[in-house]
Each structure stands twice: as structure tokens, then as C-alpha cells.
Amino acid sequence: MASSLRKPLIAGNWKMHLTLAESVALAKAVKDGSANAPGEVAVFAPFTALSVVAEVLKGSPVRLGAQDLHWETHGAYTGEVSANQIKDVGCQMTLIAHSERRRLFHETDENVNKKLKAAFAAGLVPVLCVGETLEEREAQRTFKVLQTQLEEGLKGFAPAALAPLVIAYEPVWAIGTGKTATPDQAQEAHLFIRKTCARLYGEAWASGLRILYGGSVTPENVDTLMAQPDVDGALVGGASLKVPGFIRIIQFQLPAGAKR
Ligand code: 13P
């Protein structure tokens, strides 16, 4: 189900890395290196750096995102940051339900659903992360896990509200391990996600939905991953912190005869 309607998106997730000075330097390099990129580019900076990175990216097509948010608009929630605050600092996007949030900080599908609603209400583009652990893959439960994360996370929306959503398939066993999913494994999971979304909210929406792959993406493997018909981009962790490697990922090149 390749679609030229789906503009590729390459995003860097900086996780809990970088000082302000390092963030500014990396944002400048990403901005400069994005000229004539084949797709859109985004960076997900730590909360502390959003303000300075927003300043660097002002007027550039590079999108800025936060790594998480709280679902309430304001209130006594010490340590949390709301969608409106994220928007106010200059973000257009936010990650939701990264596997590190699910695994290490007990993110539930119920809260994921509330966070998605809050992001949409604030006009942010959410990137909903889904993916199975190694144990779940080995027990042949990959599709079941993805199905539950999608059904529960995406519960109760009007289809039109979901239009801006981006999904990131990030198999937990591939994150930070150097064990990238093979292009076939990524394609199989992405196709399953698209079909599940079509069943939940209709073929028209699902065929335009961008699904990113994340998990040990590198300058060496990005081209073959991006050649898969249902891989619409990449969510890059470790390799997004390094220039010029991340610039090479942004400037991916489809092999001759690629299906997308
Ligand atoms: P790595 O690219 O370091 O494997 O991380 C992937 C990731 O978690 C992006 O959100």
C-alpha cells in the first residue's frame, strides 16, 4: 500500500541527552542539513531545551516536538507539562507512549488515550509509539500486542480528529540494541498496523496515515527500511545525536526500483 500522499518523516528523539549548548548546535546542524531533504524532518528535544531549539528552528521547515505530555491542561501536577505549555514553547508535535515511558514509567493505554486527546485539543501532532518486547515477539504475540495498543490507545475518537496522527512502530528489542528489524519484519508490522487502523477508522484515513519505524536506525540501514512500501519514515534515537550521520539519514536515498 505505497502512497505518494504520505510525505516521509524523519525524526530524531534526543531522549535525556544534551546540554542547552549542545542542543542548539545540533538543531543548527539539522536545520542546515535538511535543505532539499526528500521528506519532513523533526526533532524531539528534552523539555529543558525546547525553548532554545524553538528559537533556532524558527522560520525553518524542521518541526519541533516534546517527548511526552500530561493530559490535563493545568493544575497541581508537580513535574508534569501540559499540551498547551508544549505548544506555547513553540512545538508542533509530541511523542506519546514511547516504549521507555510504557516500560520504565508505567504508561498505560488508558493514559495514552487521554494524552492523545489532549494533544489533538491543543493542535499538536502526536506521534503514537507502539511495539512489542522480545519476549512477546518470541511468543508469537507481536500482532496481538500491537492490536491492543492501537485499539485501546485510539478508543473513542471521531475519525476526522485523527487526521494529523503519526504512528511509530518501535519494537522494544530493536531500541538501542543495534538489532534493527529487518526490512521485511518492519514491513510486516507496518502493514498490520495500517490494516488494523483501517478496520478501526476506515481505509481512507489509514491509507494516508504515516507509520515511522524506530529501533537502531542508522545511516547504513535507512535506505532499505525506507524502501518498504508501508515504512513512511524513521524515529531515530542514538543516531540522531550524531552529525553527519543524522544528516545522511535525513537525506535517505531510495534504492532503484523501490516500491514506495
Ligand atoms: P535507537 O535509534 O537508539 O535504537 O532508539 C530508537 C528510539 O527509541 C527512538 O524513539
Side-chain angles (χ1 to χ4, degrees):
M1 279 196 273
S3 169
S4 56
L5 294 174
R6 303 197 298 264
K7 190 160 170 89
L9 170 62
I10 304 290
N13 175 8
W14 295 356
K15 306 192 179 182
M16 197 173 74
H17 293 290
L18 307 181
T19 61
L20 291 188
E22 289 164 345
S23 300
V24 165
L26 182 55
K28 280 185 180 146
V30 170
K31 182 167 95 168
D32 294 344
S34 303
N36 303 317
E40 288 178 16
V41 177
V43 293
F44 293 89
F47 287 128
T48 48
L50 289 174
S51 178
V52 290
V53 173
E55 198 56 36
V56 173
L57 298 180
K58 202 183 264 177
S60 104
V62 178
R63 311 275 94 191
L64 177 62
Q67 297 174 11
D68 192 20
L69 78 168
H70 192 265
W71 56 85
E72 294 292 347
T73 53
H74 61 275
Y77 300 100
T78 301
E80 296 293 331
V81 177
S82 75
N84 292 340
Q85 290 173 313
I86 289 168
K87 181 93 177 162
D88 184 47
V89 77
C91 290
Q92 299 84 27
M93 308 181 78
T94 183
L95 295 180
I96 293 180
H98 190 280
S99 69
E100 286 147 20
R101 304 286 335 157
R102 289 184 190 265
R103 226 161 23 93
L104 304 173
F105 302 101
H106 314 295
E107 185 78 282
T108 64
D109 286 321
E110 194 186 343
N111 288 352
V112 168
N113 185 264
K114 290 196 265 188
K115 289 181 176 188
L116 278 168
K117 287 188 176 130
F120 285 127
L124 291 167
V125 172
V127 179
L128 169 64
C129 304
V130 296
E132 81 288 1
T133 62
L134 182 61
E135 201 180 23
E136 290 161 344
R137 176 162 280 264
E138 287 176 343
Q140 320 291 333
R141 291 184 51 229
T142 297
F143 289 168
K144 181 76 202 124
V145 168
L146 294 176
Q147 184 178 324
T148 304
Q149 289 173 342
L150 291 168
E151 283 178 353
E152 298 300 313
L154 297 177
K155 209 181 245 176
F157 286 97
L162 290 171
L165 182 75
V166 175
I167 289 181
Y169 169 61
E170 297 207 310
V172 177
W173 49 271
I175 295 177
T177 58
K179 275 171 72 178
T180 322
T182 64
D184 285 349
Q185 284 173 324
Q187 169 58 24
E188 182 187 44
H190 283 223
L191 185 58
F192 177 80
I193 290 168
R194 198 176 305 286
K195 283 186 172 163
T196 303
C197 287
R199 180 171 55 73
L200 293 175
Y201 284 108
E203 182 70 42
W205 169 64
S207 65
L209 171 70
R210 292 189 290 182
I211 306 174
L212 317 182
Y213 168 78
S216 297
V217 175
T218 65
E220 289 74 34
N221 61 29
V222 68
D223 296 348
T224 44
L225 286 163
M226 287 303 295
Q228 299 305 307
D230 286 284
V231 176
D232 304 313
L235 183 54
V236 188
S240 76
L241 300 172
K242 297 183 200 119
V243 177
F246 187 55
I247 306 305
R248 173 61 184 82
I249 295 174
I250 290 170
Q251 300 285 354
F252 68 87
Q253 293 164 14
L254 294 180
K259 284 169 274 170
R260 54 171 305 114

